[in-house]
């Protein structure tokens, strides 16, 4: 592709031209007569609410699912993509939202995995130099190509996934929520890689819920709503508010923070003293009251999620004096912690949250079966009515009650998961890890409202987040963490984004510890 | 930062895991040499030859099963194909042993392709499919053999297959060694090995990454049945007889050898060479029992104990479980003492 970028960008013939694409899953129409074009050398954002159809379009373009109708043209040639391999042969490389790395293989093997052009004969370590170069470019200098992927942190895995797509020399790189698990420095590496790719005349499809990234990185944006293509615009004509308007159809009011409900009966009190979670966290102290929403703000590896896991009883050798509502809790057993009144929503909703093959209904009531049981048998009527209440609370269509969770979009899965965790009795300690990972703007507001309501009912909420926006939006007390230690604690109204971000990335404000509340 | 600090213990653990089957084999060799002397007997070169003869037959069955386990499946039909392979070789190879062998291998290829296609395309668990396959093959073997043992008249085939080469090998065990070498090289130096481990490690991820999952699965099952048929045909020529039912002993040998070889039921891990180590260890152990004249029930006890022990040592959660046990025993007082006076920013949330 010898074409110069900017002048040619708007006039070049599209590399991908999809017309009238329709896809149905059972009774649900995921994409309805959608058209989409991708030009060489552009970064094209796909935007939309959960279930708007972005992920389905991505899957069609990468050969994972086939549309019911519509035509797909790539480089001027009409194509039918039956398998991911065929999509690859047409020059499409996908970085899926769900990781497609095999934990049992090494980094190098994972990067070569599935590459139709990788030679039949290969020596272990044979492509080490090329692998090294790509890893370095993504800021993974410390990761050896012979490391097993199971030994990497989730952010590192996401970068390996991107490294694989880069290694394939594809004409089109599709990134589906590539930054959801990444820290800011890691995101910078991804951005740099994307810019290199388009500078070579290749194209990138960028799916993200983070509007800031879209505004910074993308040339054009296609907005989807309820399976329909709403509009495609040059990003330079848009701002954050304009994007939200297009995505939602209207601009939601920033939700008001209501204080503790008058009628909240019991109020939780939680004290944590001297919590240590080997090997990283030491001497963590915190006091929380019902009605309070506390953010543990820190990058991956800061210790924030380890603290939550320890409080949930998931770390066998975590130690510390923890009391909930005046009762001491011995850590190290999830059962004991649940009995003491903690509710933990893991950041890994697939592995530790949902029963993917089961219905929405079963997932919603899964943790409260003892209350719905008589003589060891689940009362079906009671279970169904509780599930109906919960599905209304999370604002999902009741028609989806019997849908297997695995077929929902990521955001809707997260709502089901949190719905199950949130509507418990009052006066409990809610531990939420990355409550809106991979959830779009609208879904995020809804989930934040759910959390606020839960707090208003007298629950104490502690959540861990790597995302600055979320911390500032949801918390009323912010605890910044870095390298296993608390940097400082301050009320939301005194926090500025620059300070919080500084604490999270450098943790170098010990000298200012006096600021702590 | 954290991954740098943790890299070394992980490397060590990985090394321990991959070298365990060979360590066990080394220990076994020592025991094989030492234990008979303690009871006034002696392990001879002939005993080693005998072990390798056992390995020649059952090692191949173990490899067949092990490959499907690395791919995250379980081929119960290996013994069925082992039996059918030996019966077909004896019944059709009366004039030409090679023809009989070829027919047995073709039958294996066919059975494996059918089973693999059902499992891959319909995405059903391999357990019911191959259990059904095992029973069908067993019935077929008995039908072909008129429900009786069939003898093979051309005894010279067996004696040339079993003639001693380099003191401890025979042509038959060299065939098995050769197969192991080829599979080891293929698993290590071609795309196939990586893809087999990938589909065993995470099937969905492999599919998304672009691995031709269905084709790989069908191929693995085809290879598994062909290897089983090969083992069956060779043992039948060697013994100059084929039985209508080989029993379950070969299957139990194969499973034990594969697990000793470090292959996990979860899939995604394992190497052909380590399976060979497991199979040789088990063959030596059985030979050792016969040297010592150990009663069957004692050898069962020892083999079973060894298997359970190895499985426990290899368990990934062993260390964490042990930490839990220690922490519980230490109790809350120990915890307060060990944390001590770490300088910490004390935090009190306010509203």
């Amino acid at each position: 592709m010898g074409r110069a970028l900017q002048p040619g960008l708007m006039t070049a013939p599209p590399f991908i031209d999809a017309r009238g694409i329709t896809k149905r899953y059972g009774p649900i129409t995921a994409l309805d007569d959608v058209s989409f074009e991708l030009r060489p050398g552009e970064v094209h954002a796909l935007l939309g609410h959960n279930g708007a159809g972005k992920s389905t379009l991505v899957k069609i373009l990468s050969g994972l699912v086939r549309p019911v109708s519509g035509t797909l043209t790539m480089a001027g040639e009409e194509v039918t993509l039956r398998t991911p391999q065929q999509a690859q042969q047409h020059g499409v490389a996908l970085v899926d939202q769900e990781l497609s790395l095999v934990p049992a293989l090494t980094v190098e093997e994972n990067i070569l995995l599935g590459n139709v052009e990788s030679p039949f004969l290969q020596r272990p370590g044979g492509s080490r130099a090329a692998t090294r170069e790509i890893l370095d470019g993504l800021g993974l200098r410390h990761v050896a190509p012979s490391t097993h992927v199971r030994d990497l942190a989730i952010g590192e895995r996401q970068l390996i996934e991107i490294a694989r797509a880069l290694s394939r020399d594809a004409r089109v790189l599709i990134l589906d929520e590539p930054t959801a698990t990444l820290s800011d420095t890691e995101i910078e590496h991804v951005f740099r890689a994307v810019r290199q790719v388009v500078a070579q005349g290749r194209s990138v499809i960028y799916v993200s819920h983070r509007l800031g990234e879209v505004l910074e990185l993308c040339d054009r944006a296609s907005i989807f709503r309820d399976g329909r293509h709403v509009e495609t615009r040059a990003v330079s004509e848009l701002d954050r508010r304009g994007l939200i308007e297009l995505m939602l159809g209207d601009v939601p009011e920033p939700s008001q923070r209501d204080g503790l409900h008058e009628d909240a009966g019991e109020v939780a009190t939680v004290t944590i003293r001297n919590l240590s979670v080997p090997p990283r966290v030491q001497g963590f102290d915190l006091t929380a009251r019902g009605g309070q929403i506390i953010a543990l703000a820190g990058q991956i590896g800061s210790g924030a999620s380890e603290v939550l896991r320890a409080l949930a009883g998931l770390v066998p050798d975590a130690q510390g004096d923890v009391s909930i509502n005046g009762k001491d809790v011995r850590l190290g057993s999830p059962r004991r912690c649940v009995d003491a009144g903690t509710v933990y929503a893991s950041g890994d909703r697939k592995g530790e949250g949902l029963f993917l093959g089961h219905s929405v209904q079963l997932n919603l009531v899964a943790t409260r079966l003892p209350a719905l049981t008589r003589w060891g048998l689940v009362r079906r009527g009671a279970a169904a009515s509780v599930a109906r209440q919960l599905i209304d609370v999370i604002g999902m269509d009741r028609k989806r009650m019997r849908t297997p969770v695995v077929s929902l979009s990521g955001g809707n899965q997260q709502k089901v998961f949190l719905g199950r965790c949130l509507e418990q009795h009052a006066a409990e300690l809610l531990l939420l890890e990355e409550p809106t990972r991979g959830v779009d703007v609208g879904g995020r507001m809804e989930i934040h409202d759910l959390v606020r309501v839960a707090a208003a009912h007298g629950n104490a909420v502690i959540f861990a987040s790597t995302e600055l926006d979320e911390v500032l939006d949801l918390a009323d007390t912010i605890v910044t963490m870095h390298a296993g230690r608390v940097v400082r604690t301050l009320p939301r109204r005194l926090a500025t984004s620059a300070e919080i971000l500084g604490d999270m990335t450098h943790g170098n404000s010990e000298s200012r510890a006096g600021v702590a509340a | 930062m954290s991954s740098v600090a943790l890299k070394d213990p992980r490397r060590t653990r990985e090394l321990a895991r991959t070298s365990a089957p060979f360590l066990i084999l080394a220990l076994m060799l020592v025991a094989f040499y030492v234990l008979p002397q303690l009871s006034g007997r002696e392990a001879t070169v002939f005993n080693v030859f005998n072990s390798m003869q056992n390995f020649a037959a059952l090692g191949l069955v173990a490899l067949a099963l092990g490959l499907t386990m690395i791919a995250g499946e379980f081929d119960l039909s290996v013994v069925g194909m082992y039996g059918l392979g030996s019966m077909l070789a004896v019944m059709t190879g009366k004039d030409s042993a090679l023809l009989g062998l070829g027919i047995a291998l073709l039958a294996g290829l066919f059975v494996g392709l059918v089973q693999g296609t059902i499992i891959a395309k319909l995405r059903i668990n391999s357990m019911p499919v191959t259990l059904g396959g095992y029973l069908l093959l067993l019935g077929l073997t008995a039908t072909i053999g008129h429900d009786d043992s069939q003898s093979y008249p051309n005894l010279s085939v067996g004696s040339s297959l079993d003639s001693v080469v380099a003191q401890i090998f025979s042509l038959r065990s060299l065939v098995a060694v050769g197969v192991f070498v080829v599979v080891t090289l293929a698993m290590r130096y071609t795309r196939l090995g990586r893809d087999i481990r990938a589909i065993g490690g995470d099937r969905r991820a492999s599919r998304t990454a672009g691995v031709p999952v269905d084709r790989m699965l069908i191929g693995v099952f085809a290879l598994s049945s062909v290897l089983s048929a090969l083992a069956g045909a060779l043992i039948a020529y060697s013994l100059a007889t084929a039985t209508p039912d080989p029993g379950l002993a070969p299957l139990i040998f194969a499973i034990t050898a594969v697990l000793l070889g470090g292959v996990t039921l979860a899939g995604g891990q394992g190497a052909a060479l380590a399976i060979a180590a497991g199979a040789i260890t088990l063959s030596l152990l059985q030979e050792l029992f016969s040297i010592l004249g150990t009663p069957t029930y004692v050898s069962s006890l020892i083999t079973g104990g060894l298997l359970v022990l190895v499985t426990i040592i290899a368990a990934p959660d062993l260390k964490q479980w042990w930490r839990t046990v220690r922490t519980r025993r230490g109790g809350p007082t120990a915890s307060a003492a060990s944390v001590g006076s770490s300088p910490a920013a004390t935090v009190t949330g306010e509203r």
Side-chain angles (χ1 to χ4, degrees):
Chain A
M1 300 293 309
R3 185 177 294 281
L5 293 182
Q6 291 312 327
L9 186 64
M10 293 304 154
T11 52
F15 177 71
I16 290 180
D17 193 1
R19 301 246 158 256
I21 303 279
T22 299
K23 172 71 192 173
R24 290 189 200 91
Y25 292 104
I28 295 156
T29 303
L31 276 184
D32 189 4
D33 191 21
V34 163
S35 295
F36 170 79
E37 55 162 59
L38 180 70
R39 294 172 185 154
E42 75 167 334
V43 185
H44 195 129
L46 298 188
L47 293 171
H49 214 282
N50 288 319
K54 302 163 305 209
S55 293
T56 308
L57 181 60
V58 163
K59 284 188 180 138
I60 287 171
L61 294 178
S62 50
L64 286 165
V65 301
R66 288 171 68 187
V68 185
S69 62
T71 60
L72 186 59
T73 312
M74 285 185 173
E77 175 195 351
E78 192 171 324
V79 295
T80 313
L81 304 177
R82 287 192 181 81
T83 61
Q85 291 89 331
Q86 285 181 348
Q88 219 190 101
Q89 276 153 352
H90 284 97
V92 179
L94 167 70
V95 176
D96 196 13
Q97 186 180 4
E98 313 300 340
L99 291 179
S100 63
L101 300 177
V102 178
L105 301 189
T106 65
V107 168
E108 188 188 8
E109 287 174 324
N110 265 294
I111 285 177
L112 289 171
L113 188 68
N115 188 342
V116 288
E117 276 155 25
S118 91
F120 181 75
L121 282 179
Q122 44 198 224
R123 203 159 41 85
S127 60
R128 197 148 284 173
T131 308
R132 184 74 270 161
E133 195 181 321
I134 297 173
L135 292 181
D136 288 353
L138 287 168
L140 291 172
R141 266 167 224 292
H142 58 287
V143 174
S146 60
T147 316
H148 281 90
V149 163
R150 62 167 172 258
D151 292 335
L152 296 180
I154 188 155
E156 294 168 329
R157 293 188 192 191
Q158 180 70 54
L159 291 172
I160 301 290
E161 185 93 31
I162 293 171
R164 177 200 281 159
L166 291 176
S167 77
R168 287 189 184 170
D169 247 1
R171 300 273 309 270
V172 177
L173 192 63
I174 305 178
L175 302 176
D176 192 354
E177 291 292 339
T179 55
T181 55
L182 299 186
S183 67
D184 293 317
T185 39
E186 289 168 330
I187 290 173
E188 263 316 304
H189 288 298
V190 175
F191 278 22
R192 209 178 321 138
V194 166
R195 292 195 180 105
Q196 273 170 17
V197 167
V198 293
Q200 295 158 356
R202 302 189 267 163
S203 320
V204 174
I205 297 176
Y206 197 86
V207 185
S208 180
H209 295 129
R210 297 183 172 181
L211 300 181
E213 293 180 5
V214 170
L215 292 169
E216 189 182 336
L217 189 67
C218 299
D219 300 311
R220 292 196 302 160
S222 288
I223 293 103
F224 292 82
R225 205 190 301 148
D226 301 326
R228 291 203 174 81
H229 175 223
V230 180
E231 206 170 347
T232 297
R233 296 263 285 270
V235 169
S236 55
E237 301 167 9
L238 291 163
D239 58 5
R240 186 178 285 263
R241 197 176 166 81
L243 283 174
I244 295 178
E245 237 170 293
L246 285 169
M247 282 165 65
L248 300 183
D250 59 80
V251 179
E253 291 295 309
S255 34
Q256 289 300 310
R257 184 157 316 171
D258 33 3
L260 194 57
H261 268 234
E262 302 294 324
D263 57 349
E266 282 178 274
V267 170
T269 50
V270 179
T271 56
I272 303 159
R273 290 283 166 266
N274 240 332
L275 177 70
S276 76
V277 193
R280 204 169 281 158
V281 180
Q282 285 237 317
F284 179 91
D285 294 359
L286 185 69
T287 305
R289 283 187 61 249
Q292 202 176 17
I293 303 176
I294 299 176
L296 302 185
Q299 311 280 29
I300 292 158
S302 67
S305 66
E306 284 82 349
V307 166
L308 293 193
R309 294 187 71 80
L311 293 175
L314 290 166
V315 185
D317 48 358
Q319 293 170 341
D321 304 324
V322 176
S323 92
I324 298 174
N325 298 334
K327 267 185 278 181
D328 288 344
V329 184
R330 203 146 59 83
L331 300 175
S333 143
R335 185 84 195 228
R336 277 201 301 269
C337 290
V338 167
D339 287 346
T342 63
V343 178
Y344 170 68
S346 164
D348 175 10
R349 66 171 172 260
K350 307 238 145 148
E352 301 182 336
L354 295 166
F355 302 96
L356 289 177
H358 287 293
S359 65
V360 170
Q361 170 167 346
L362 195 70
N363 270 285
L364 282 171
V365 298
T367 46
R368 58 199 84 203
L369 288 177
L372 299 172
T373 304
R374 192 194 295 144
W375 299 323
L377 299 174
V378 175
R379 293 174 293 151
R380 298 182 70 94
S385 85
V386 169
R388 274 196 299 275
Q389 281 170 25
L390 287 172
I391 206 168
D392 292 344
V393 168
I394 61 173
M396 197 188 279
D397 192 342
R398 283 192 183 186
K399 270 191 286 187
R400 295 200 162 185
M401 199 62 118
R402 305 217 167 266
T403 318
V405 165
V406 71
S407 65
L408 299 179
S409 69
N412 277 331
Q413 289 183 358
Q414 185 71 5
K415 277 197 232 165
V416 171
F417 180 34
L418 287 180
R420 181 176 92 195
C421 298
L422 290 179
E423 281 294 301
Q424 299 275 7
H425 306 294
E428 295 196 316
L429 171 60
L430 301 186
L431 305 165
L432 312 177
E433 192 183 340
E434 301 287 349
T436 60
R437 173 178 287 167
V439 178
D440 67 40
V441 180
R444 163 174 301 205
M445 287 182 192
E446 290 167 26
I447 286 171
H448 284 180
D449 284 340
L450 290 176
V451 174
R452 289 190 190 106
V453 169
H457 282 132
N459 292 297
V461 180
I462 304 178
F463 73 97
S465 183
T466 52
E467 244 186 283
L468 186 63
D469 285 350
E470 172 153 87
V471 168
L472 293 173
D473 205 33
L474 184 58
D476 39 45
T477 302
I478 300 172
V479 178
T480 50
M481 293 189 70
H482 182 79
R485 293 189 179 269
V486 170
V487 182
R488 68 175 145 177
T489 300
L490 69 175
R492 164 69 183 91
R493 66 192 140 78
L494 299 180
T496 67
S497 31
E499 277 178 326
I500 303 291
L501 197 59
D503 287 359
M504 284 163 74
T505 45
H506 308 298
N508 56 357
S509 43
E510 279 88 1
S511 54
R512 291 177 292 162
V515 181
Chain B
M1 19 157 205
S2 61
S3 54
V4 173
L6 291 173
K7 197 168 283 169
D8 282 339
R10 279 172 184 163
R11 280 274 162 80
T12 322
R13 199 180 59 199
E14 185 60 26
L15 192 68
R17 196 182 60 75
T18 48
S19 56
F22 304 100
L23 282 176
I24 297 169
L25 175 59
L27 286 175
M28 190 63 233
L29 281 169
V30 173
F32 191 75
Y33 183 72
V34 172
L35 286 184
Q37 290 179 356
L38 294 181
S39 57
R41 288 164 227 228
E42 198 188 356
T44 61
V45 174
F46 179 71
N47 293 122
V48 179
F49 172 82
N50 250 350
S51 307
M52 290 309 291
Q53 288 295 88
N54 193 26
F55 167 77
L58 299 186
L60 287 177
V61 181
L63 181 61
L65 177 71
L67 287 173
T68 63
M69 281 171 68
I70 294 172
E73 301 289 342
F74 199 95
D75 188 355
L76 270 171
S77 73
V78 285
V79 227
M81 200 57 233
Y82 177 74
L84 182 65
S86 60
M87 188 58 78
L88 281 176
V90 165
M91 299 294 282
T92 62
K94 292 204 160 96
D95 299 323
S96 156
L98 276 180
L99 178 70
L101 177 67
I103 289 176
L105 295 184
L106 276 179
L109 184 66
F110 176 74
V111 169
L113 288 176
V114 170
Q115 289 193 131
T117 307
I118 294 173
I119 289 160
K121 293 295 179 190
L122 301 182
R123 312 216 171 151
I124 8 183
N125 191 293
S126 50
M127 208 69 126
V129 177
T130 56
L131 178 62
Y134 163 65
L135 293 171
L136 281 171
L137 294 174
L138 202 61
L140 193 60
T141 309
T143 312
I144 295 173
H146 313 297
D147 201 18
D148 205 351
S149 289
Q150 297 294 325
S151 57
Y152 185 65
N154 192 349
L155 296 178
S156 63
V157 175
S159 55
S160 57
L161 274 177
D162 289 338
S163 59
V164 180
V165 181
Q167 298 210 38
I168 57 169
F169 295 110
S170 67
L171 188 56
R172 196 157 63 86
S173 60
L174 283 177
V175 168
V177 169
V179 168
F180 267 98
V181 168
V182 169
V183 175
T184 300
L185 291 177
M187 290 288 282
R188 224 178 132 66
Y189 294 103
T190 73
R191 208 165 57 199
L192 299 178
R194 184 191 67 211
D195 287 358
I196 290 174
R197 281 182 294 127
I199 63 175
D202 190 328
R203 186 98 15 119
R204 189 199 60 79
S206 308
R207 213 180 282 277
T208 314
V211 177
V213 171
D214 293 354
R215 246 188 297 157
M216 292 304 303
L217 267 182
I218 295 171
V220 165
F221 275 93
L223 184 58
S224 164
S225 295
V226 167
L227 290 178
S228 307
L230 174 66
L234 292 183
I235 190 81
Y237 287 146
S238 160
L239 302 174
T241 179
T243 60
D245 180 2
L248 283 177
L251 182 66
I252 292 171
F253 180 99
I255 299 175
T256 313
V258 168
L259 293 175
L260 283 177
V263 179
T264 60
L265 280 170
Q269 271 174 7
L273 207 59
I275 295 175
I280 293 174
T281 304
L282 202 54
S283 299
L284 287 171
L285 187 66
Q286 290 186 346
E287 186 67 19
L288 182 63
F289 288 144
S290 84
I291 298 172
L292 297 175
T294 319
T296 318
Y297 71 95
V298 178
S299 50
S300 289
L301 279 173
I302 294 175
T303 314
L306 180 70
L307 181 61
V308 171
L309 191 69
V310 168
T311 317
I312 289 175
I313 291 172
D317 287 343
L318 179 70
K319 208 169 149 194
Q320 187 175 17
W321 174 77
W322 177 240
R323 279 199 318 202
T324 318
V325 171
R326 261 193 341 205
T327 314
R328 282 210 192 114
R329 205 177 290 156
T333 38
S335 70
S338 69
V339 173
S341 55
S342 51
T346 299
V347 165
T348 315
E350 66 158 36
R351 198 182 157 74

